[in-house]
Amino acid sequence: MLNETFHAPGDLSQACSLISDLGEKAIIIAGGTDLMVRFNRHRVNRNVALVYVGKLGLNFIKEEQDHIVIGACANLADITASALVQKKIPLLARACSQMASPAIRNAATLGGNLGTNARNADGVAALMALGAVVVTASTGGEIRMPIEAFVTTPKKEKLANGGIVKQFEVPCLTADERWAWEKLRQRQGDSRSILSVSLRTKMAGNICKSMRLVLGSMAAHPFVSKTAAELLEGKYISSELIDQAAKEILSETDPGTDSRASAWYRAKAAQVLIRRVLSQLV
Amino acid sequence: MVLLEISVNGKGCRVLVDATTSLLTVLREQLHITGPKIGCETGDCGACSVLIDGKLRRACLTNAMSVNGSEITTVEGIGGSGGLHALQKSFYEHHASQCGYCTPGMIVASKALLDNNPTPTELEIKEALSGNLCRCASYVNIIKAVKSAALKTSNGGGEP
Amino acid sequence: MKKRGKGLAVAFYPTGMGGGGDFTNAIVKIKPDGTADLIIGTVELGQGACTVLPQMAAEILGIEYEQVKFINDNTDSCPICFGSFASRVTYFAGNAVIKAATNARQKLFEIAAPDLGAAPEDLEAVDGTIRVKNSPEKALPIGQVATKGLYEKHEFVVGTGSFGRPRSFPDPETGACDPLATLAWASVQIEVEVDTETGVVTVIDSRSVYDVGKAINPEMAKLQVEGGAIMGMSWATLENLYPFYPSPKFQPRSLGQYMIATTMDIPHIETTMVECPSPVGPWGAKGIGEMTANPPSPAVVNAVHDAIGVWITDIPITPEKVLRALEEKEKAGN
Ligand SMILES: Cc1cc2nc3c(=O)[nH]c(=O)nc-3n(C[C@H](O)[C@H](O)[C@H](O)COP(=O)(O)OP(=O)(O)OC[C@H]3O[C@@H](n4cnc5c(N)ncnc54)[C@H](O)[C@@H]3O)c2cc1C
Ligand code: FES
Ligand code: FES
């Protein structure tokens, strides 16, 4: 018995009601670069209803007031190439340019990167460092939530009625803000993160006014380091303080071991990368 | 099963497919177009590279139904009956393959590069091919071949 | 801090089965259109047998490479080849092909001799013709000779050849034996850059010198060396089947977890061929199949030692191993 169905709704409200009607069977598919790996692995007929979100017009990248608004279905190649992103939130362009390989970047979306719920989701780490807000849509309406809250909220709550990630709202960097993105990987071509360190900060000379430092692949989700903010904000950034921060931030992490690296190595290397990104500021 | 209508190398095709089937499976097993190879089906090797509406994609990670209505170009559609494409000639002249398993994907990825950037630097060539693994490691000659094809086509070689 | 170092490794590598006993058979058949079939059980697995073996037959028959058809459709009906392993194909199959082609050519000489008014031993096969040595105007196209043989003389214009080596058993008293067909030699120099904080090792330069005896197809021989250079350095720095040996727990499960070098990871590469002929190889050729993957990894190990003064002798040299070794060294020093 063939149970698989495929749906390609043409607008968002139609998609929301479709997902709500389909219930548990519904699986959202965007670029498919994550989902298809799983489907290919076990080629069996599933009792699933695929809802393709690529035709919802959610691939925009636009400027609204002092934000860049990126549709959930914008692909990584378009984001990397976008003049707007390069100019206003270059951190995201850099991060996306280092994800996967060209062919995958032509398909993979930011919404999908969030949807993977992965500890090494680079797009999520970059958006988090920038302070992005996630907007979801469902038959119950739209919900807005900071991305760091989104990743830790149980699925049932954040995607009530089986909602769709609609867009990301990213505050543009101001003239007095600085950023950094460092991804440690096994090889230079097509490689997922061993870990990443990124930051968005405001500096007045060597004094740190604000600090948003994000670690990727160092816990179940990318996270914003509280220690970094507590320790560095309002302080003169000295090399002693940088060393202290690198050590203390580790207490917030829960690095795992996998084929790419051990927890031991991740802890060592994270300190090195934290020191490097902070040293660039002074 | 659902009806998929695509154009492959300029030819219209209608096939019934499962909703979770990849474009690679449709091309190879249903349409018997075997230029795109199965290397991994996890998106890691690039042997299945195809152009979808002119853009480089992994056929194995492309849900077939998600590209309903699109134009697909496989290595068979590059050059084709019009003879070898400049890139194919250049791969031949520069000994740019050993076992040849990666070659269809390399040609397609190189075509995508030159379509957008007719005069790439060596680093740009390397980046464009960074998702295409070659276990025989013919990389040095592959890069040379792409460079030389770029020179020929950008000098008005007028290849298809 | 980033530190650079250079390392050298030299290698020699035998061709064919250690201890001998292997062989390859070949058939060369001349067709009435002057082209030839090379029928042989040698498996082509990407190493280039279907290029170099027809090249060798063409050389003997005095015809073009494109005029020799390589037929290895099945290992049951085709003449036996011991296999595509031990870097043995160019050497063993090559010698067998040369014999088979020489025998087929001898048949052509015998058929053509009366028409050319010369003895078979005074003939040569050049430019698609059988002709009299030193009188190139006395020539017949090979196709014509083969047609005459086939249709008039009912002579099957075919040559067979076999090449092998006897088993060599060690002398029980001294252990002396003659186990190796021929030896190829190589020297590889690698330069690395080591990031002493992250432990990342980057190979930035790779120079290889190989004695191939005779490069039957120079471009393919060079590709083999380059492929080996890249595979060897990839093996030395990236390819990890047991990331946390002996625990099998985090073994890579896909090509996305088992890292092999991409275009972005290859160093500057230089290759030099030396041709010091083997007395027994086809035109002096030796086997350089497998060996090309061997010297790069010890050269990387030596280069890493040169750069940071620690020996990491189990490959791949992962960043983690580098950091642990540097910690050990620091402890020992204090
Ligand atoms: C070879 C390879 C290399 C990779 N390298 C990297 C890398 O370097 N860094 C990295 O972070 N990732 C990497 N990835 C993972 C993957 O490509 C990315 O996570 C990508 O962004 C996923 O996007 P997609 O559109 O293809 O997702 P899909 O596969 O379509 O979907 C992924 C998940 O998200 C859900 N989803 C998708 N869109 C929405 C939406 N709008 N609303 C709600 N849910 C949604 C889906 O239901 C599914 O669960 C790699 C993958 C491969 C195969
Ligand atoms: S088969 Fe598609 S990337 Fe390997
Ligand atoms: S030529 Fe063999 S994989 Fe590229």
Side-chain angles (χ1 to χ4, degrees), chain C residues 108-169:
Chain C
L108 290 171
F109 289 164
E110 282 160 14
I111 296 162
D115 290 342
L116 289 168
E121 52 275 18
D122 292 330
L123 300 181
E124 61 184 2
V126 181
D127 293 341
T129 64
I130 303 297
R131 67 185 196 192
V132 181
K133 284 180 198 159
N134 302 323
S135 327
E137 71 290 350
K138 289 194 191 158
L140 290 170
I142 286 184
Q144 195 177 317
V145 178
T147 305
K148 176 152 193 174
L150 287 162
Y151 287 82
E152 292 177 25
K153 301 196 167 178
H154 300 149
E155 184 80 60
F156 186 23
V157 195
V158 69
T160 65
S162 179
F163 183 82
R165 270 173 53 81
R167 288 284 283 160
S168 170
F169 294 101

Side-chain angles (χ1 to χ4, degrees), chain A residues 40 104, chain B residues 24 37-49 58-61 131, chain C residues 255:
Chain A
N40 288 342
I104 289 181
Chain B
L24 182 60
K37 301 281 173 262
I38 305 175
C40 62
E41 292 195 298
T42 52
D44 295 302
C45 74
C48 67
S49 300
R58 300 286 207 229
C60 71
L61 294 190
Chain C
L255 264 181

Side-chain angles (χ1 to χ4, degrees), chain C:
Chain C
M1 213 206 306
K2 296 206 166 160
K3 291 195 165 174
R4 288 195 174 191
K6 282 185 185 170
L8 189 76
V10 294
F12 70 81
Y13 204 80
T15 307
M17 256 165 64
D22 57 330
F23 65 87
T24 293
N25 295 341
I27 298 173
V28 170
K29 189 182 98 189
I30 313 295
K31 298 187 281 192
D33 62 356
T35 68
D37 285 341
L38 168 58
I39 310 169
I40 191 161
T42 304
V43 171
E44 169 64 60
L45 36 74
Q47 83 275 34
C50 71
T51 305
V52 295
L53 298 179
Q55 258 187 285
M56 294 193 215
E59 181 77 18
I60 298 288
L61 296 171
I63 59 178
E64 295 298 324
Y65 156 73
E66 289 83 358
Q67 293 177 301
V68 182
K69 191 168 168 191
F70 183 73
I71 299 176
N72 67 338
D73 0 58
N74 75 78
T75 48
D76 184 28
S77 312
C78 289
I80 293 176
C81 177
F82 251 57
S84 297
F85 64 91
S87 307
R88 63 182 292 286
V89 165
T90 300
Y91 178 87
F92 280 84
N95 274 329
V97 167
I98 289 174
K99 278 191 186 170
T102 306
N103 288 337
R105 186 181 63 184
Q106 184 60 28
K107 288 242 168 95
L108 290 171
F109 289 164
E110 282 160 14
I111 296 162
D115 290 342
L116 289 168
E121 52 275 18
D122 292 330
L123 300 181
E124 61 184 2
V126 181
D127 293 341
T129 64
I130 303 297
R131 67 185 196 192
V132 181
K133 284 180 198 159
N134 302 323
S135 327
E137 71 290 350
K138 289 194 191 158
L140 290 170
I142 286 184
Q144 195 177 317
V145 178
T147 305
K148 176 152 193 174
L150 287 162
Y151 287 82
E152 292 177 25
K153 301 196 167 178
H154 300 149
E155 184 80 60
F156 186 23
V157 195
V158 69
T160 65
S162 179
F163 183 82
R165 270 173 53 81
R167 288 284 283 160
S168 170
F169 294 101
D171 181 295
E173 298 280 301
T174 63
C177 61
D178 176 20
L180 308 173
T182 187
L183 291 171
W185 302 83
S187 166
V188 171
Q189 182 191 283
I190 295 276
E191 186 172 4
V192 297
E193 186 170 85
V194 184
D195 183 326
T196 54
E197 290 176 323
T198 60
V200 173
V201 175
T202 309
V203 177
I204 53 181
D205 190 274
S206 160
R207 284 154 208 264
S208 308
V209 182
Y210 277 75
D211 168 20
V212 300
K214 170 82 191 170
I216 301 291
N217 186 314
E219 193 58 30
M220 280 174 48
K222 186 178 126 275
L223 259 179
Q224 177 69 18
V225 171
E226 283 176 359
I230 293 172
M231 194 189 277
M233 65 131 246
S234 176
W235 191 19
T237 56
L238 295 171
E239 302 186 21
N240 215 347
L241 271 178
Y242 282 93
F244 307 105
Y245 188 80
S247 163
K249 217 170 139 194
F250 298 103
Q251 266 195 296
R253 306 238 171 264
S254 70
L255 264 181
Q257 292 176 345
Y258 183 81
M259 295 283 106
I260 77 173
T262 70
T263 45
M264 294 296 286
D265 303 288
I266 57 175
H268 172 77
I269 287 186
E270 269 177 42
T271 306
T272 309
M273 294 292 174
V274 176
E275 296 189 325
C276 178
S278 153
V280 283
W283 291 287
K286 304 167 177 178
I288 56 147
E290 292 153 326
M291 77 179 296
T292 59
N294 294 353
S297 38
V300 170
V301 169
N302 290 339
V304 168
H305 179 261
D306 186 42
I308 56 171
V310 294
W311 287 114
I312 302 171
T313 51
D314 56 328
I315 57 168
I317 305 178
T318 59
E320 171 157 354
K321 288 182 196 165
V322 171
L323 290 194
R324 285 191 190 273
L326 285 174
E327 276 189 9
E328 289 280 308
K329 184 185 163 200
E330 199 168 324
K331 260 190 231 145
N334 291 343

